[in-house]
Amino acid sequence: MAGEVTLRAALARPFLAVTNTPQVAYILLEAQPASQMTQVRMPVNVCFVLDRSGSMKGEKIERLRQAVTKAIEQLDQQDSIAIVIFDHRAEVLAPAQPVRNRPAILDLVHRIRDAGGTRIAPAVEKGLLELQKMPPGVRRLILLTDGQTEHEKECLLRAEDAGRLGVPITALGIGKDWNEDLLIEMANRSKGVADYIAQAGEIVNYFQHTVQRAQQTVIQNSVLTLRLVQGVTPRAVWQVTPLIDNLGYQPISDRAVSVNLGELESAQPRVLLIELLVDPRPLGTYRVGQAELSYDAPALRLTGEKAKLDIMLTFTADPTQIQQVNPNVMNIVEKVSAFKLQTRALQDLAAGDVQGATQKLKSAVTRLLNQGEVDLAATMQQEIANLEQQGQMSSEGQKTIKFQGRKTVRLTDIELPKE
């Protein structure tokens, strides 16, 4: 059976100019589970790995208990759960078990108290062991911390373990005294996500949203293959929703590359921005490649299904056609460009190039204001002032830029043509 996933595409420029030099073509590609997949529900296996160190005392630990309680209430009888708590030691508070034991699990959650220091790696290791005891399904490890951890290299090794086991880590940092680069790298190595929780009151929504997205996962092991004709070269593949991310690609032959997309959710399309470098062509319309998505739909007992879409480009000498653009796609190109500038600015700062970082942030602010991203631009303006006056950025500002800068593309920005 095919048709569980549909592919659609739109070009930033419907027409490319006939020139003597190569040019870049931007293609927005959407992979969307079909409407019938909204009725599909896979079992969800969640392990919460929770920081209960002394710095979590007060509102943070109280909100944490509320958040876990609300998340457990979202889960169904078919789902499974485990809870690991940690300070400088790690403890399995609730071993892997079906959610039908809800009252007993909630009683344990209400007893969580703050104590001790922070050591993440052993807790993640215990969490992964508990997840392996659960039946097949969608697996998530939700990590929440508010502090610097010992032995960061061990954390990265455990994140690699999670990636090999197919367990995406949702790595959440609260407050300002944690290492965002560590959590981002842990998320990347496990094919998960990292995020910044500025206020304790936001923990409940984050946990509920993470569980909801796991429940909407209907496609697994999805891989995009781009097969391109001679004279067309891939430059980059960017994910633009739900977060901007440079996915990279793996060559699989002289003219084909693959991109591992992993899971797809029924309620939210996966949208990619593909950059191609195209050699000159004469007037006309050409098939320059094909996008193929292979995927599994475990709830329907389907494996290795495929969806395909031809990539067509039209070359013209008509100045009126050459000037035409798709404003939605160009808007997303600009947002990705702003994200690139932010990323390079932070890299410059890490290398000690304060002037380079400042200039790139100023360019990013201009783009963000043009896109209506007023709040993020204001944060960036403040950090530019910090750089000019003190030679460094605030911890909160760096975290906001790193995380909010990845969320500028919204589903309302995307209007692809219907089939």
Side-chain angles (χ1 to χ4, degrees):
M1 176 181 172
E4 296 78 25
V5 180
T6 57
L7 295 178
R8 295 188 296 157
L11 298 168
R13 294 183 178 275
F15 301 93
L16 296 183
V18 173
T19 66
N20 295 321
T21 58
Q23 53 194 311
V24 176
Y26 292 99
I27 301 163
L28 199 67
L29 181 71
E30 176 188 280
Q32 171 73 69
S35 57
Q36 66 263 29
M37 297 300 290
T38 58
Q39 308 303 316
V40 173
R41 171 80 156 82
M42 295 172 60
V44 172
N45 301 325
V46 182
C47 180
F48 292 96
V49 178
L50 307 172
D51 188 343
R52 59 91 172 261
S53 60
S55 56
M56 290 287 292
K57 184 176 182 179
E59 185 186 8
K60 284 189 280 190
I61 201 84
E62 180 183 342
R63 294 291 190 179
L64 179 149
R65 290 192 292 262
Q66 290 176 8
V68 177
T69 298
K70 292 287 187 183
I72 291 172
E73 289 172 351
Q74 275 183 266
L75 296 169
D76 297 337
Q77 296 285 329
Q78 63 178 321
D79 302 327
S80 298
I81 189 171
I83 303 171
V84 176
I85 55 176
F86 68 92
D87 41 50
H88 59 282
R89 301 157 300 179
E91 173 190 345
V92 179
L93 180 70
Q97 58 193 287
V99 175
R100 59 176 174 266
N101 301 325
R102 203 184 315 258
I105 300 169
L106 292 177
D107 183 58
L108 292 171
V109 171
H110 295 148
R111 298 183 189 182
I112 297 175
R113 298 291 182 271
D114 57 276
T118 305
R119 193 175 175 197
I120 293 174
V124 172
E125 183 176 14
K126 287 181 181 293
L128 291 174
L129 288 172
E130 294 305 313
L131 281 164
Q132 290 176 75
K133 299 174 185 176
M134 299 180 189
V138 178
R139 302 201 280 186
R140 291 289 184 276
L141 189 150
I142 302 175
L143 167 66
L144 175 75
T145 184
D146 78 334
Q148 302 279 348
T149 181
E150 305 170 25
H151 309 297
E152 290 188 352
K153 288 184 179 178
E154 287 185 20
C155 294
L156 297 178
L157 292 174
R158 300 294 77 79
E160 290 177 3
D161 293 341
R164 282 190 292 269
L165 292 167
V167 179
I169 295 175
T170 300
L172 303 173
I174 181 170
K176 62 180 182 178
D177 298 322
W178 48 279
N179 183 347
E180 66 269 20
D181 293 326
L182 173 65
L183 293 198
I184 289 170
E185 187 59 25
M186 289 182 69
N188 288 343
R189 295 192 185 193
S190 68
K191 301 295 189 293
V193 296
D195 214 336
Y196 169 35
I197 301 178
Q199 304 295 329
E202 299 170 1
I203 300 175
V204 174
N205 287 338
Y206 271 91
F207 278 26
Q208 288 185 295
H209 181 63
T210 301
V211 169
Q212 182 183 47
R213 289 190 58 187
Q215 291 173 329
Q216 292 169 348
T217 296
V218 292
I219 298 295
Q220 293 183 318
N221 304 319
S222 66
V223 176
L224 175 69
T225 300
L226 295 174
R227 296 185 173 87
L228 304 170
V229 302
Q230 188 170 2
V232 179
T233 308
R235 294 213 318 177
V237 178
W238 291 88
Q239 174 182 283
V240 297
T241 61
L243 299 171
I244 298 175
D245 189 19
N246 189 347
L247 298 180
Y249 53 81
Q250 296 294 322
I252 55 177
S253 72
D254 290 345
R255 298 180 190 172
V257 298
S258 68
V259 183
N260 184 3
L261 299 184
E263 299 175 336
L264 302 181
E265 300 160 24
S266 59
Q268 180 165 274
R270 181 71 63 83
V271 185
L272 311 176
L273 183 68
I274 300 169
E275 299 181 27
L276 300 177
L277 187 64
V278 184
D279 285 352
R281 292 281 199 286
L283 288 169
T285 298
Y286 302 88
R287 177 183 177 274
V288 297
Q290 184 184 70
E292 177 187 278
L293 188 78
S294 64
Y295 59 89
D296 299 340
L300 302 179
R301 299 183 181 178
L302 298 174
T303 59
E305 296 294 318
K306 289 180 169 58
K308 299 180 181 181
L309 183 69
D310 287 339
I311 301 172
M312 310 294 292
L313 294 179
T314 298
F315 290 78
T316 182
D318 183 339
T320 305
Q321 292 181 326
I322 292 169
Q323 291 173 7
Q324 292 181 26
V325 298
N326 182 318
N328 296 90
V329 181
M330 288 302 297
N331 179 44
I332 291 168
V333 171
E334 282 295 303
K335 290 186 174 185
V336 171
S337 296
F339 176 75
K340 291 180 190 177
L341 283 169
Q342 296 163 47
T343 302
R344 290 169 186 160
L346 294 171
Q347 290 170 345
D348 283 353
L349 186 61
D353 183 0
V354 175
Q355 183 177 0
T358 304
Q359 291 303 317
K360 289 181 178 65
L361 286 179
K362 287 180 177 179
S363 297
V365 165
T366 300
R367 290 176 184 257
L368 289 169
L369 288 173
N370 288 338
Q371 298 156 16
E373 297 291 337
V374 178
D375 291 343
L376 182 57
T379 297
M380 216 168 283
Q381 289 277 30
Q382 180 58 55
E383 295 309 318
I384 289 169
N386 290 339
L387 284 173
E388 291 176 335
Q389 295 166 15
Q390 305 165 21
Q392 62 183 15
M393 295 167 61
S394 70
S395 174
E396 298 96 320
Q398 282 207 53
K399 287 177 171 61
T400 299
I401 291 170
K402 287 179 182 178
F403 291 101
Q404 293 304 119
R406 304 177 70 192
K407 300 177 183 177
T408 56
V409 180
R410 301 166 183 83
L411 291 181
T412 50
D413 296 326
I414 300 165
E415 289 183 14
L416 277 72
K418 299 293 183 183
E419 291 294 329

